[in-house]
Amino acid sequence: MQDPNADTEWNDILRKKGILPPKETPPEEEEEEQLHQTQSVVKTYESMSLEELEENEDEFGEEDELAMEMYRQKRLAEWKANQLKNRFTEVSEISGQDYVQEVNKAGAGIWVVLHLYKPGIPLCTLINQHLSRLAQKFPQTKFLKSISSTCIPNYPDHNLPTLFIYHEGEMKAQFIGPLLFGGMNLTCDELEWRLSESGAVKTDLEENPRKQIQDQLLRSIRCSEPHRRDEDSDED
């Protein structure tokens, strides 16, 4: 008797005519097919967002429930990690009443940069502009600003601008007065470098930007020294 499962051209013709039943699939091939389908479902989960998982939940069978929950938890963990990493993207205004909550109780692992300023002081305005850029560049760091008189009563204007750097509620550094900032020539990169030295941000700058200016000044001084010596010799 001819084997209906044999791979012959005649059997293929008979199957197409409906005379022979469809060829039986070996158990090994069935397992491979099931594995392929499972991998396809897994790949579908991986490409979905949390919202898409919720929307398409009814389309999957009960056997997929465990896998769906696993990927839902994975996506949720990734979302939370991303939210934590990018939780601060702007400079927030606070008052003295907010100080303890926003600064001292900022949370575990959180760096806080607080700028005490006063409207009408050009250097304070410049630093606020720089901090706005740095807040977007370093969303893991909490950047705050506060009008000095509303934050610390009777805080002297000659100490402005002032930067306080906190980590986990403890002050790590402070920059008080215009001289420490180098006046209106302060660049955003220079301020970033200062903050990185205190640990508040992780900069990608390779060296202190002000060092380049200092090196240029030193070269200028060295170049002018021989000229001065010649003038002194002529006077003698």
Side-chain angles (χ1 to χ4, degrees):
M1 183 177 178
Q2 186 175 1
D3 183 4
N5 289 321
D7 286 325
T8 64
E9 186 176 351
W10 177 246
N11 280 354
D12 289 339
I13 294 174
L14 294 178
R15 290 190 194 101
K16 290 180 181 179
K17 298 290 185 180
I19 298 174
L20 288 180
K23 182 181 177 181
E24 295 180 0
T25 303
E28 296 81 3
E29 294 185 11
E30 288 184 357
E31 291 178 0
E32 290 180 1
E33 181 64 22
Q34 290 176 357
L35 178 61
H36 176 72
Q37 291 177 355
T38 301
Q39 289 175 341
S40 298
V41 171
V42 169
K43 187 175 181 181
T44 302
Y45 290 154
E46 290 180 339
S47 63
M48 285 186 175
S49 64
L50 286 174
E51 294 79 6
E52 290 172 335
L53 281 173
E54 294 291 343
E55 292 174 359
N56 295 277
E57 187 172 3
D58 295 336
E59 297 182 10
F60 299 100
E62 293 181 1
E63 65 275 8
D64 301 321
E65 185 175 346
L66 181 60
M68 282 190 63
E69 182 61 24
M70 178 181 67
Y71 280 103
R72 184 184 289 110
Q73 293 300 326
K74 178 183 176 183
R75 291 291 184 183
L76 185 60
E78 291 174 350
W79 179 82
K80 288 182 177 179
N82 188 60
Q83 288 295 107
L84 181 62
K85 183 178 179 181
N86 300 291
R87 61 191 304 181
F88 311 113
T89 57
E90 60 184 15
V91 184
S92 299
E93 184 89 31
I94 67 169
S95 65
Q97 296 177 345
D98 307 317
Y99 198 99
V100 173
Q101 185 65 34
E102 297 292 335
V103 178
N104 299 101
K105 296 182 179 180
I110 302 298
W111 284 90
V112 179
V113 176
L114 172 62
H115 177 211
L116 296 185
Y117 74 102
K118 191 168 253 188
I121 299 180
L123 185 54
C124 289
T125 302
L126 178 65
I127 289 178
N128 276 335
Q129 293 172 355
H130 290 339
L131 291 180
S132 294
R133 291 179 56 189
L134 294 176
Q136 296 180 356
K137 184 175 181 180
F138 302 102
Q140 306 94 331
T141 300
K142 188 175 188 179
F143 288 88
L144 303 172
K145 63 181 179 179
S146 180
I147 296 176
S148 57
S149 57
T150 64
C151 188
I152 302 177
N154 302 318
Y155 193 77
D157 288 354
H158 65 262
N159 283 347
L160 300 177
T162 293
L163 286 183
F164 292 145
I165 315 298
Y166 281 81
H167 183 244
E168 297 185 339
E170 295 185 6
M171 183 180 290
K172 298 298 182 179
Q174 56 184 354
F175 304 98
I176 300 176
L179 293 179
L180 287 179
F181 295 98
M184 291 299 293
N185 292 323
L186 176 71
T187 67
C188 189
D189 284 347
E190 290 171 1
L191 184 56
E192 177 181 331
W193 185 265
R194 287 287 187 90
L195 295 179
S196 72
E197 288 181 322
S198 68
V201 300
K202 294 182 179 180
T203 182
D204 54 3
L205 299 174
E206 296 182 355
E207 65 175 9
N208 187 352
R210 182 162 287 275
K211 182 177 181 299
Q212 300 175 359
I213 300 175
Q214 293 173 343
D215 291 343
Q216 292 176 356
L217 289 173
L218 287 175
R219 284 195 294 269
S220 298
I221 294 173
R222 292 192 186 105
C223 291
S224 64
E225 284 181 352
H227 180 68
R228 290 178 180 175
R229 289 174 183 169
D230 292 341
E231 289 181 349
D232 292 342
S233 299
D234 293 340
E235 289 178 0
D236 292 342

